[in-house]
Amino acid sequence: MESGCSKNVEACPQLLDLIPQQRRWHMKREDERRHGSSEEKKLELRLGPPGEDNWSIKIDATKSNNKERDESLLSLGYFPSMNSNAKQTHTFPTPEDHPVGSVLSSPWANTQQHNHQQQTKPPSFLQFSSTAPQTLPVIAKESSQPCCTKAVDLHNAEKTAFSLPPANTSVPPNSSQKRTAPGPVVGWPPIRSFRKNLASSSSSKLASESPSVVPHKVANEKAATEPTGKGLFVKINMDGVPIGRKVDLRAYDSYEKLSTAVDELFRGLLAAQRDSCAGGIVSKQEEEKVITGVLDGSGEYTLVYEDNEGDRMLVGDVPWHMFVSTVKRLRVLKSSELSALSLGSSKQGKMPA
Amino acid sequence: MNYFPDEVLEHVFDFISSHKDRNSVSLVCKSWYKIERFSRQRVFIGNCYSISPDRLIARFPGLKSLTLKGKPHFADFNLVPHDWGGFLDPWIRALAKSRIGLEELRLKRMVVSDESLELLSKSFLNFKSLVLVSCEGFTTDGIAAIAANCRFLRELDLQENEVDDHRGHWLSCFPESCTSLVSLNFACLKGEINLGALERLVVRSPNLKSLRLNRAVPLDTLQKILMRAPQVVDLGTGSYVHDPSSEVYNKLKSAFQRCKSIRSLSGFLEVAPRCMSAIYPICTNLTFLNLSYAPGLHGNELTKLIQHCRKLQRLWILDCIGDKGLGVVASTCKELQELRVFPSDPYGAGNAAVTEEGLVLISAGCTKLNSLLYFCQQMTNAALITVAKNCPNFIRFRLCILDPIKPDAVTNQPLDEGFGAIVQSCKGLKRLSLSGLLTDQVFLYIGMYAEQLEMLSIAFAGDSDKGMLYVLNGCKKLRKLEIRDCPFGNAALLEDVGKYETMRSLWMSSCEVTLGGCKTLAEKMPSLSVEIINDTDQMEFSLDDRQKVEKMYLYRTLVGHREDAPEFVWIL
């Protein structure tokens, strides 16, 4: 095993635990968005007919995936292996030859069955009848197919109880699979940071040499940037809003567009925060204040970022593509507090929460 | 026993260079121990916390070369928090105070500060060689100190370190009088460097054999350097991008033609595929080719290049070479001993990736293959069995299927049989990394057959404690065991606690071991240091013994618990 990556997976289970209300709210929003954008479809974990961009371990930085993971830890169980059936390679028999059920059962069937001969007979239980993969899509939404749920129940009955994948101590342990790797897994595949973003950084000559290295001055921090081949997701936090967001910088090509996105991301959250600060009195007349002027210092908030050397920088100085290649995370700070903070080289530590 | 005067024995011991052999020699009798320790010049310390600097200095007063390793291997994959440990500083300070005439320092996964580097550069007059691999904590200022103060520096080798680049004047810090450089590798530095200073340095270093540039060095500088240093044996290009119709490129081509000694080629951190033809003249003699940082190179350009490299012994590439490309390697590189195939798009859909087919082709064509690191989309038992038959000489076999629990892609069975075939056939196997869907059975095979195994890496595998027990009971030469996300618990951990004293270290994360189990182990084995690493900002890390331990790292040590552990590390 070699090399690795880090993700924000560990941050999310805690998030889910502490603020269940928020989570549900996020879920709704994600669902609404998902039906539209095909970009996000690519990032979902799902099983589909051959040829589609199927399940593989992707770092999906959107919250929806983490919520999916939590909800559907059970249903996503062995479907990674089911996927291997669906993939089109020349060595593969057609899906009908390999009833999906056999995949689910084989590893945990009986260890006694494993002898020197290859097992030719797939165990007969858990066979789905006439399953073309199309009927199976385990799209990790609330609306999973009933047959899949059944499969999972049967399956759970067979297994020994494993505990959850890494850092899930806040998610209630049940008999969900230990060894499933649903979605992004910390430290997998095992490659060093230097090798993580070769595909995306090779195109840009101005990209910094060692791509996406977690700045080590930021102690104990999980990766703030998670490129997914094409997307470059960075964390963005705003003063006064406890929950951060993630934004795909490759979806924008200018600072103005980023600034608009910041407004879109946080306007509602900020208003909600103000409401709750006011003792939960929701005033319907209360308009959501538009967040403007983050780039020129004219607004109530200012946009800053942390670069690949761990320094805090004002957004807007360098050409956009150079910014994209060095930014590691974003912050929206109150302009009034700007002078109080030290911008520039900061060896000490994390960005304050 | 001692019929010879000490000087004769010393002379005989001079011929014994391997660490293992010298360690054995020192155990024969007291007088051999004494003679050996005074004549020992090279010491290897695989875990910097297993011994203290003072004891090292006391035992080996003639020490000239020290190798130190710090963090556990899984730190490479971000599984170990940043401040865990592995500090160089106490070692340098102790060595500086002593009379040790240190000449060579090789570090891996250590935290190195600028202060340490500066102290190092000023304390040892004869210091010749600094090799830093996967280290962090220093800046180019520390490198500048080394350059400026080590008057007889021969080797400065920085491999894949996290270096804070203060935009380099460090190259200019090599004094004009410094003409002793043999090896200079700064490929991992991210910043700009003074190109003029680089050229002048190369010109006044007639012994320069190994030069690896960083991305900031453009092609025209490379051409100028090669004209002045045609004797170079190991070359790492910087940015390899230029207009192939330009004058500079033509000059580069003739420069390469003059470099008859190049045997090892790497770099291409930025590459223009159409410029690769300049390299063809040196390909015929290449023994090591590293293209693993060049995703821009694939398809025909890549295979054309490979077809020129008939003498290749070691090849590091990206999986965009594809199975067909591996077929070209198999038919061209008959001398190949080591192959590493890295993922070009680790989180992507894997369309360009390699499969079991590529590996089978390689095994059929390259029968001398003994070391493999292979990231692939899928694997089958049949393929592994074929590979095992074709290549019985594996010493290192590391397979990483990008989906960590993927079964046999054709039969959907676990990959137990395939790996079983590997360990049964490759009797000299020393290092093994597993992936894919695996049950306890594979561990039974490993325990039974992998007699020479020294290092084993396991992830998402096994069904029960039996798996781990098969390994611990069977592999007598096991030194390092690292496990993540496996259902191994206290029963396996505690079955044979004495075993861990025969090993360097054990890592277990996201397994079933509990705090209570770790405590029991620590109690029974005071010669071990059992560390619980708790870095997940947990608000309630309860002291309940039944609580599962997220990360445990234990190692044998002669000097008790380390005192530099951060607050999130709990040493039982």
Side-chain angles (χ1 to χ4, degrees):
Chain A
M1 263 187 331
E2 280 302 271
S3 329
C5 70
S6 59
K7 297 158 185 80
N8 66 342
V9 162
E10 301 189 359
C12 294
Q14 294 161 24
L15 224 58
L16 296 169
D17 206 32
L18 292 172
I19 357 182
Q21 309 304 325
Q22 290 269 14
R23 169 167 75 106
R24 236 163 262 140
W25 179 76
H26 276 290
M27 276 155 48
K28 283 208 195 111
R29 287 198 60 179
E30 294 304 340
D31 278 336
E32 285 154 15
R33 294 209 301 203
R34 184 175 304 130
H35 292 298
S37 105
S38 59
E39 175 74 13
E40 290 195 296
K41 275 202 179 124
K42 282 187 210 150
L43 299 171
E44 288 170 22
L45 302 172
R46 43 195 288 238
L47 182 70
E52 261 190 72
D53 195 0
N54 282 329
W55 189 91
S56 54
I57 303 182
K58 286 187 176 170
I59 306 180
D60 182 342
T62 61
K63 293 266 187 323
S64 63
N65 241 27
N66 298 310
K67 161 274 295 183
E68 288 166 4
R69 188 168 70 84
D70 177 46
E71 273 194 332
S72 55
L73 268 170
L74 299 180
S75 50
L76 281 179
Y78 302 105
F79 295 162
S81 29
M82 286 166 73
N83 227 39
S84 64
N85 264 337
K87 260 192 147 87
Q88 282 294 2
T89 70
H90 52 282
T91 56
F92 272 123
T94 57
E96 291 76 61
D97 294 346
H98 285 268
V100 171
S102 64
V103 173
L104 292 176
S105 56
S106 59
W108 284 270
N110 304 293
T111 42
Q112 278 80 19
Q113 279 185 13
H114 294 297
N115 48 31
H116 288 275
Q117 299 134 358
Q118 281 275 353
Q119 265 214 18
T120 48
K121 235 187 1 166
S124 55
F125 63 99
L126 288 184
Q127 291 235 2
F128 293 113
S129 49
S130 70
T131 55
Q134 288 94 313
T135 64
L136 277 180
V138 182
I139 298 178
K141 297 182 188 176
E142 295 91 332
S143 59
S144 34
Q145 314 276 341
C147 66
C148 298
T149 326
K150 210 196 295 179
V152 166
D153 290 341
L154 272 175
H155 191 61
N156 280 338
E158 294 292 324
K159 287 182 3 287
T160 53
F162 293 152
S163 67
L164 291 166
N168 258 353
T169 47
S170 52
V171 180
N174 47 23
S175 59
S176 56
Q177 305 76 338
K178 162 85 171 179
R179 285 186 284 136
T180 58
V185 177
V186 178
W188 195 271
I191 46 173
R192 289 185 182 159
S193 333
F194 279 75
R195 297 194 181 278
K196 279 184 212 158
N197 288 5
L198 290 179
S200 48
S201 74
S202 66
S203 43
S204 157
K205 271 196 201 174
L206 293 166
S208 51
E209 154 56 21
S210 188
S212 190
V213 167
V214 178
H216 280 261
K217 294 176 205 142
V218 186
N220 293 343
E221 184 157 69
K222 311 302 183 267
T225 58
E226 301 176 29
T228 358
K230 296 229 177 101
L232 178 64
F233 286 89
V234 300
K235 285 187 190 171
I236 175 165
N237 289 83
M238 181 162 189
D239 273 358
V241 180
I243 310 297
R245 302 296 302 270
K246 274 219 167 170
V247 58
D248 178 4
L249 290 178
R250 298 219 194 278
Y252 313 108
D253 57 15
S254 70
Y255 288 117
E256 285 65 43
K257 294 204 180 138
L258 175 62
S259 166
T260 316
V262 167
D263 173 47
E264 279 170 21
L265 285 171
F266 284 108
R267 199 198 304 176
L269 278 174
L270 199 59
Q273 230 18 56
R274 288 194 178 129
D275 285 350
S276 63
C277 286
I281 303 164
V282 178
S283 152
K284 284 190 190 146
Q285 271 92 24
E286 175 104 7
E287 275 173 16
E288 294 181 336
K289 247 170 88 175
V290 178
I291 305 170
T292 55
V294 291
L295 294 174
D296 54 16
S298 64
E300 196 185 331
Y301 292 90
T302 301
L303 194 56
V304 303
Y305 73 103
E306 188 175 305
D307 69 5
N308 56 357
E309 297 178 336
D311 299 330
R312 261 206 200 172
M313 314 293 287
L314 208 56
V315 164
D317 288 334
V318 298
W320 172 258
H321 55 266
M322 199 185 284
F323 164 69
V324 169
S325 68
T326 58
V327 63
K328 291 301 159 203
R329 68 186 301 170
L330 290 160
R331 281 200 74 89
V332 188
L333 300 177
K334 276 222 167 79
S335 302
S336 52
E337 293 184 10
L338 218 52
S339 49
L341 300 162
S342 59
L343 294 174
S345 187
S346 129
K347 282 190 197 288
Q348 285 329 305
K350 304 188 190 204
M351 304 199 41
Chain B
M1 180 68 187
N2 203 13
Y3 303 132
F4 298 107
D6 288 1
E7 298 82 35
V8 176
L9 279 173
E10 217 180 287
H11 182 68
V12 172
F13 291 171
D14 272 350
F15 293 96
I16 302 172
S17 49
S18 102
H19 293 293
K20 279 196 186 131
D21 290 342
R22 289 207 75 120
N23 292 346
S24 307
V25 157
S26 68
L27 292 173
V28 168
C29 63
K30 274 192 189 159
S31 93
W32 279 40
Y33 175 88
K34 192 180 110 205
I35 299 167
E36 196 283 321
R37 77 174 249 258
F38 280 112
S39 63
R40 177 104 87 162
Q41 294 187 340
R42 314 181 65 88
V43 174
F44 170 89
I45 297 178
N47 173 10
C48 63
Y49 290 119
S50 60
I51 193 69
S52 71
D54 295 329
R55 285 181 64 164
L56 168 74
I57 294 166
R59 180 169 169 189
F60 299 114
L63 181 67
K64 289 209 164 49
S65 162
L66 176 62
T67 304
L68 276 174
K69 293 191 182 180
K71 299 187 192 179
H73 176 229
F74 275 1
D76 282 351
F77 320 137
N78 292 14
L79 287 178
V80 177
H82 166 64
D83 293 328
W84 174 85
F87 303 105
L88 175 65
D89 203 59
W91 293 87
I92 293 296
R93 282 194 272 112
L95 287 163
K97 275 197 219 136
S98 74
R99 295 215 198 126
I100 301 264
L102 195 68
E103 293 184 11
E104 178 178 284
L105 186 62
R106 311 169 75 92
L107 305 175
K108 189 166 188 180
R109 277 183 227 112
M110 302 268 310
V111 176
V112 177
S113 65
D114 285 344
E115 290 74 29
S116 307
L117 289 176
E118 189 167 344
L119 183 58
L120 170 67
S121 71
K122 292 184 174 158
S123 309
F124 307 105
L125 290 176
N126 239 358
F127 192 75
K128 296 200 172 74
S129 166
L130 180 64
V131 179
L132 302 177
V133 180
S134 296
C135 296
E136 61 182 359
F138 60 104
T139 78
T140 45
D141 293 346
I143 302 299
I146 297 284
N149 300 326
C150 300
R151 289 194 288 149
F152 305 112
L153 193 68
R154 290 207 201 136
E155 180 176 21
L156 178 59
D157 186 355
L158 307 173
Q159 297 177 32
E160 297 192 345
N161 301 289
E162 294 292 336
V163 185
D164 203 14
D165 200 320
H166 289 171
R167 302 247 147 43
H169 69 294
W170 64 273
L171 255 179
S172 320
C173 290
F174 282 104
E176 288 303 313
S177 55
C178 172
T179 57
S180 48
L181 264 188
V182 174
S183 166
L184 178 63
N185 172 7
F186 59 94
C188 66
L189 294 185
K190 304 168 207 168
E192 302 302 315
I193 57 155
N194 185 329
L195 298 176
L198 175 63
E199 288 176 48
R200 288 191 296 277
L201 180 62
V202 170
V203 165
R204 65 178 188 275
S205 304
N207 298 320
L208 192 66
K209 292 280 187 301
S210 168
L211 180 63
R212 296 193 184 189
L213 311 168
N214 76 347
R215 198 171 187 149
V217 179
L219 200 105
D220 56 338
T221 308
L222 172 66
Q223 175 263 320
K224 287 186 207 154
I225 287 174
L226 286 178
M227 292 301 284
R228 308 306 296 259
Q231 78 282 5
V232 79
V233 173
D234 167 24
L235 176 69
T237 70
S239 163
Y240 196 77
V241 177
H242 218 278
D243 178 359
S245 56
S246 68
E247 185 55 30
V248 168
Y249 185 67
N250 283 330
K251 285 195 201 163
L252 181 69
K253 278 206 270 196
S254 40
F256 271 128
Q257 274 163 350
R258 291 179 62 218
C259 294
K260 306 249 182 266
S261 309
I262 297 184
R263 296 289 173 269
S264 159
L265 190 59
S266 59
F268 303 103
L269 307 166
E270 242 177 16
V271 61
R274 292 193 301 147
C275 292
M276 294 309 280
S277 54
I279 298 178
Y280 292 167
I282 42 173
C283 285
T284 26
N285 287 324
L286 276 185
T287 56
F288 175 43
L289 179 61
N290 181 356
L291 297 173
S292 63
Y293 285 107
L297 200 56
H298 46 252
N300 282 336
E301 281 303 330
L302 183 53
T303 41
K304 260 198 278 179
L305 180 66
I306 303 257
Q307 278 167 327
H308 283 84
C309 304
R310 303 203 146 267
K311 291 194 189 160
L312 216 52
Q313 293 173 13
R314 297 166 61 211
L315 176 63
W316 293 19
I317 36 168
L318 290 171
D319 63 2
C320 37
I321 192 174
D323 288 332
K324 287 218 181 73
L326 288 177
V328 174
V329 173
S331 50
T332 311
C333 309
K334 295 301 184 189
E335 303 296 314
L336 198 68
Q337 294 175 25
E338 175 180 322
L339 175 67
R340 298 197 190 190
V341 181
F342 292 97
S344 53
D345 192 9
Y347 314 111
N351 293 318
V354 295
T355 70
E356 77 277 9
E357 293 205 350
L359 186 59
V360 169
L361 289 171
I362 290 280
S363 73
C366 309
T367 48
K368 295 189 183 175
L369 200 63
N370 61 40
S371 174
L372 180 75
L373 171 60
Y374 197 73
F375 285 83
C376 58
Q377 273 307 103
Q378 61 187 52
M379 187 49 57
T380 65
N381 284 310
L384 285 174
I385 292 170
T386 308
V387 169
K389 280 202 206 113
N390 290 340
C391 297
N393 299 318
F394 274 117
I395 299 174
R396 284 177 291 275
F397 190 89
R398 295 187 279 167
L399 186 73
C400 178
I401 305 172
L402 290 172
D403 173 352
I405 48 167
K406 195 161 188 172
D408 182 315
V410 169
T411 65
N412 280 315
Q413 297 298 305
L415 290 173
D416 301 335
E417 300 303 313
F419 281 106
I422 294 283
V423 292
Q424 200 176 353
S425 163
C426 305
K427 309 231 183 292
L429 193 68
K430 286 193 183 166
R431 182 167 180 185
L432 178 64
S433 299
L434 308 170
S435 63
L437 189 63
L438 296 163
T439 73
D440 284 345
Q441 185 72 9
V442 71
F443 299 113
L444 176 62
Y445 291 143
I446 292 174
M448 278 170 63
Y449 296 113
E451 290 172 9
Q452 303 298 321
L453 195 67
E454 294 179 5
M455 182 169 175
L456 179 62
S457 309
I458 310 171
F460 302 100
D463 306 318
S464 73
D465 285 333
K466 281 200 256 173
M468 186 167 164
L469 286 172
Y470 290 143
V471 171
L472 291 175
N473 292 335
C475 300
K476 300 294 177 210
K477 297 208 177 166
L478 195 64
R479 289 191 297 118
K480 285 182 282 183
L481 181 57
E482 45 187 26
I483 305 172
R484 63 164 293 183
D485 294 273
C486 297
F488 304 143
N490 294 339
L493 181 71
L494 298 172
E495 164 99 356
D496 177 12
V497 294
K499 172 78 177 174
Y500 306 121
E501 244 182 3
T502 70
M503 293 166 55
R504 184 189 297 174
S505 63
L506 168 67
W507 169 282
M508 291 182 78
S509 59
S510 306
C511 296
E512 302 284 310
V513 292
T514 68
L515 187 55
C518 295
K519 280 185 184 170
T520 309
L521 178 56
E523 256 175 55
K524 289 191 181 173
M525 297 293 294
S527 59
L528 299 180
S529 203
V530 181
E531 297 193 5
I532 309 292
I533 300 169
N534 172 37
D535 63 334
T536 56
D537 294 340
Q538 274 176 301
M539 296 201 297
E540 333 109 27
F541 179 65
S542 76
L543 298 177
D544 183 354
D545 278 0
R546 288 163 301 171
Q547 168 132 14
K548 292 212 184 104
V549 163
E550 194 48 46
K551 293 177 185 172
M552 178 202 73
Y553 179 55
L554 67 84
Y555 48 88
R556 65 181 176 190
T557 171
L558 293 174
V559 290
H561 296 171
R562 63 183 173 118
E563 280 159 15
D564 60 2
E567 41 180 41
F568 54 82
V569 170
W570 180 14
I571 307 184
L572 296 178

